[in-house]
Structure formats: C-alpha cells, structure tokens
Amino acid sequence: MTDILIKNGYILTMNEDREIIKKGDIAIEGDQITDIGEDLEKNNSEKAIDARNKAVLPGLINAHTHLSMVLFRGVADDLDLQTWLEEKIWPLEANLESEDVYIGALLGCLEMIKSGTTCFADLYFFMDRVAEAVEKSGLRANLAYGIIEQNDPEKRKKELEVGKKLVKDLEGAADGRISTMFGPHSTYTCSVDCLKEVRELADKHDVGIHIHLSENEREVEDVVDMYDKRPPELLDSIDFLASDVLAAHCTCLNEHEIDLLQRNNVKPVHNPVSNMKLGSGIAPVPELLSRNVPVSLGTDGAASNNSLDMFDELKFAALLSKIGKKDPTVVPARKALETATIHGAEAIGRENEIGSLEPGKKADIILVDMKKPHLTPIFNIESHLVYSCNGSDVDSVIVNGEILMNNREILTLDEEKILKDGQKTAEKLAEKV
C-alpha cells in the first residue's frame, strides 16, 4: 500500500539525467520512494498530497553549519573572522551549557524545516543534545564534535574521547537518520599529532571527517608560519586527505591545492554568505566544478550568516562566482541546485540514499509553492528556485517518509515554545559576557 502519494507536481528529480517531469506523481511507502511518473494509481494510498502549482524536489542539504549558533544570531556582525571568533564568539561559547545547545538546536531545526532543508552536517559541542533535537524534529543529520586541542596532549586525549563517544553512541541513531563524523576544527586549532589521530580513528570507525580548511588568508598565513606549509599541503603531507573529508570554506586555494583536493576526492563545502560577511574570500567554485569536484553548499552558523535559509545560499552561490569571475555563465542555476542536493549527499557519503528523487531512495522531499507574485511568470523553474525563491516559499517537507511540515504547519515541533525558549536562552548567554 502507498502511504503517501504526491500528485500533479512539477518534479525536479536531480537524478543522473537531471530529469524534469512537468506534471508528475511520487509514491512513498514507509521511508522510501517507490515510484515516480505520470498518472500513478492513487487507489489504496493512505494520504494524497495535491502538488499543483508546486515544485517538488529533493530536500536541500546544508553541508556545513554550527546549528546551535542560532543563539548568537546578530550579536557579532561586521567583523573579520579572527576578531569575530576571539573577541565575540569564543567568549560566548565558553558559557554554553548542554541545555543551551539543545534549545539552540531545536530553534535551528525549526528554521531549517520551514526553509526546506531536510539534512544538515553539524560541527559543534554537546552533540548528544543536538542529536536529541534532530530525533525530535524528524530531520536527517550528520553530526561531528568540534575538536579543539591547541597542541595540548592532555586536552587532546579528552577531546578525542568525546569525538569517539559520539561516533560509538550515535552512528545510525534516530532510525538511521543520524550519521557521525570526527570533527577537528582546523589546522590552526589542532596539532599535527591530533590530526593524525583523527585520521586513524576515522579509518578505524569507518566514518568521515568534517574540518574547516583555508577559510581566509590569515588562517593560511598562520599555518605557513607554524609548519612552512599551507593547510591543504600540511594535510596531504600526513595522508589526511581522502574521499571522506568534508572541507568547509576553501576560499584560499591555489592551483596546486585544487589539484590536491581533486586527486584525493575531498568534498569542499561552499559557504558564500558567511565568507562574504566575514570578508574571508571567494571559493574557486568554477575551477572545482570544472574538474568534476562535487562542491556542496552550506550556510555556516547563523552567527556569521545570519540565516539557515538554503534558498538564499543558492542564489548567493551562483552570483558570487559570477562576480568573482566577471563571467555570468559560471555556476548556472542547475549547477547551483546540484550543490544543495546530489552534491550535498555525496559530501556526506549518502548519495545512494538522498540527494535526488528516485525509486529506492529515502523519501526526503520538499514542495515549493510557485503560485506567488515573485515567482510569476514561470519560464524556467530551475532559475526561479535559485534566483527568485526564498525559504518562506516552502510549503511542505517530508523526511524519511514522514511529513514534518504541511501547508506551512510544523507537525513535529512546538514552534511557539521553541521561539520563546530561544529568545530567553540567547539573552541569558549574552548577559554573561
């Protein structure tokens, strides 16, 4: 029996052929898509969803964020990265408690559901509490504990133990919706010995690694001063780079470093809004894509964005590369959509499960209401999704075959309570600094 039948939608499959069905149906049984086509039989379906005037596409994948930093939205704006981190964010984070992170994670999950993100890769602290929020919300997530040991052997031991516990306890949790990674913060906050241990642990536990890489010129200069190597070169010299490495930012890559990422099948994550806001630089996305490197897309944390809206990120991803290259043909709309769907799935090693709409894949699907003034007329729906849509146009969200939002109504979370708790918790943290 079909549990959910989506009818009459404008379907962007994002499959290998990037097939588009202008008036099509999707059948869902349990947590999987079982059929896609035109005029599917609707008899014996538990629930039918009328998708007329709606785009139906894979749920967006936010491949790099720090979810609970929504609590710091707007408290540290218009600063460079090091000032932002050292004078504003780290003092705030020093006061974070487990419950604060849980409340922030719920607020972040709420924002993502309402703007069409169905899966995210998170790198932060108290990740067991983030996992609780993920399970409650119904979203899919890839979680990593942010390891910062600053060449302190005793701290290294403790940090790695926390990372190992996360992988041991939470890999495959929430009915398989949660996967895990190891999360060394960066080459300037983790020693070479720490990075080597992380690589060994990731291999041993068969999980990936989530790291910040070459986010700005200051970071590169600091690493060169310490090791006489740029960050990608340093990681390559210790055999750290591999296909399971999720590398956030990558704004400062030279040709040799692009070669290193391509050769090792590293998965770079573009974070255009955060990179622009912090003045960090422009990632060489066209060069990476031209070499078939599957660039994915992320918002970074809401403290440096200040939003988790992946539709905003899609637009800026396309536009930033165009202005950076002074070439309007680079990163066209379809390529941008790939970064937030199938490339995002590849980035976290789940391309066989999510990232496109195909029979046998998980039912992670969003419906976008196209009957809006700012989306009329429709000539090219891919163009509209990238250049005209925003998160508030998302009408319904399905993850793992469960409806999380229907006609803008959140079904898994108490929206009013989360907003109230989020405001209260953020004010409490701000008062401590």
Side-chain angles (χ1 to χ4, degrees):
M1 175 183 287
T2 299
D3 297 314
I4 301 173
L5 186 64
I6 300 172
K7 293 287 295 178
N8 304 314
Y10 200 121
I11 301 173
L12 290 84
T13 66
M14 301 307 296
N15 64 14
E16 187 175 358
D17 297 326
R18 306 298 185 253
E19 181 183 5
I20 293 175
I21 304 172
K22 292 187 176 181
K23 186 178 181 182
D25 307 339
I26 300 176
I28 300 168
E29 292 182 17
D31 62 358
Q32 291 190 339
I33 296 169
T34 56
D35 200 2
I36 300 177
E38 298 179 2
D39 298 318
L40 297 184
E41 181 57 55
K42 65 181 179 180
N43 293 336
N44 299 319
S45 62
E46 289 287 329
K47 181 175 179 60
I49 296 176
D50 186 358
R52 280 178 295 180
N53 301 312
K54 294 179 177 66
V56 183
L57 62 153
L60 303 184
I61 299 170
N62 187 343
H64 175 69
T65 191
H66 311 289
L67 188 61
S68 296
M69 290 184 82
V70 291
L71 297 173
F72 306 145
R73 195 195 319 263
V75 300
D77 292 334
D78 308 319
L79 300 168
D80 66 89
L81 176 62
Q82 266 63 36
T83 303
W84 177 82
L85 271 176
E86 295 166 12
E87 297 183 15
K88 296 291 186 178
I89 297 304
W90 284 346
L92 282 165
E93 289 179 335
N95 294 293
L96 275 175
E97 297 177 1
S98 171
E99 185 67 12
D100 302 329
V101 169
Y102 174 66
I103 290 169
L106 284 174
L107 179 58
C109 286
L110 176 65
E111 181 178 354
M112 286 193 292
I113 293 170
K114 298 205 77 169
S115 54
T117 292
T118 56
C119 178
F120 65 99
D122 196 33
L123 177 64
Y124 211 53
F125 315 116
F126 299 108
M127 298 307 288
D128 57 327
R129 302 308 308 277
V130 177
E132 288 181 36
V134 171
E135 183 158 20
K136 187 172 185 178
S137 71
L139 286 171
R140 195 180 301 279
N142 182 293
L143 306 181
Y145 170 69
I147 297 168
I148 300 176
E149 50 89 63
Q150 296 173 317
N151 207 22
D152 180 337
E154 193 60 35
K155 188 175 183 183
R156 180 188 316 147
K157 183 178 178 181
K158 292 178 181 177
E159 291 283 274
L160 291 173
E161 284 300 320
V162 177
K164 285 191 285 186
K165 189 175 189 309
L166 172 73
V167 171
K168 180 181 177 182
D169 293 349
L170 291 173
E171 179 66 30
D175 297 321
R177 286 186 285 110
I178 292 176
S179 57
T180 59
M181 282 181 157
F182 283 94
H185 177 268
S186 65
T187 53
Y188 67 93
T189 56
C190 293
S191 66
V192 166
D193 286 340
C194 179
L195 293 167
K196 286 180 177 178
E197 285 195 56
V198 166
R199 179 69 271 172
E200 291 171 3
L201 287 167
D203 291 341
K204 178 181 177 180
H205 294 278
D206 194 25
V207 297
I209 299 171
H210 191 166
I211 188 171
H212 298 88
L213 184 65
S214 298
E215 185 170 357
N216 69 1
E217 290 291 354
R218 166 76 180 277
E219 173 192 331
V220 174
E221 291 166 3
D222 287 348
V223 173
V224 169
D225 288 343
M226 287 188 284
Y227 301 108
D228 199 29
K229 290 183 176 69
R230 290 165 66 89
E233 295 172 328
L234 175 67
L235 294 178
D236 186 55
S237 72
I238 61 172
D239 296 322
F240 184 96
L241 299 178
S243 62
D244 60 358
V245 173
L246 187 64
H249 300 295
C250 299
T251 67
C252 304
L253 301 179
N254 59 32
E255 284 293 319
H256 172 58
E257 291 162 339
I258 292 173
D259 286 340
L260 285 178
L261 266 59
Q262 179 191 23
R263 190 181 315 141
N264 290 284
N265 200 20
V266 173
K267 307 304 191 300
V269 189
H270 188 29
N271 301 266
V273 174
S274 175
N275 293 155
M276 285 190 287
K277 188 163 179 282
L278 293 170
S280 297
I282 303 175
V285 174
E287 292 88 341
L288 289 162
L289 291 175
S290 71
R291 301 182 192 207
N292 294 318
V293 177
V295 179
S296 55
L297 190 64
T299 60
D300 207 0
S304 63
N305 187 296
N306 294 15
S307 164
L308 301 178
D309 187 340
M310 284 287 287
F311 280 97
D312 279 352
E313 214 69 31
L314 278 167
K315 182 172 183 175
F316 281 109
L319 298 187
L320 183 57
S321 288
K322 295 176 191 301
I323 193 64
K325 293 296 177 185
K326 296 183 173 62
D327 181 355
T329 68
V330 299
V331 191
R334 179 174 291 182
K335 283 291 182 185
L337 282 172
E338 289 171 356
T339 68
T341 54
I342 192 61
H343 286 183
E346 290 180 58
I348 59 173
R350 305 191 78 161
E351 66 271 24
N352 293 326
E353 295 181 285
I354 59 174
S356 62
L357 303 182
E358 302 179 64
K361 283 199 171 185
K362 299 294 186 183
D364 289 12
I365 303 168
I366 61 173
L367 280 68
V368 180
D369 186 358
M370 305 301 290
K371 198 173 183 180
K372 300 282 188 74
H374 62 284
L375 299 173
T376 303
I378 295 176
F379 292 111
N380 183 331
I381 205 158
E382 292 172 312
S383 169
H384 272 17
L385 289 169
V386 172
Y387 298 122
S388 301
C389 276
N390 56 62
S392 63
D393 296 318
V394 177
D395 176 84
S396 299
V397 173
I398 300 169
V399 177
N400 224 37
E402 298 292 330
I403 301 174
L404 310 189
M405 181 171 74
N406 186 37
N407 296 324
R408 298 294 297 169
E409 179 187 358
I410 296 287
L411 304 179
T412 57
L413 298 172
D414 184 338
E415 183 170 358
E416 185 174 347
K417 184 178 188 304
I418 289 171
L419 294 175
K420 181 180 178 181
D421 290 348
Q423 181 69 36
K424 183 179 178 180
T425 301
E427 289 174 357
K428 178 196 73 173
L429 289 167
E431 288 171 1
K432 289 182 179 181
V433 178

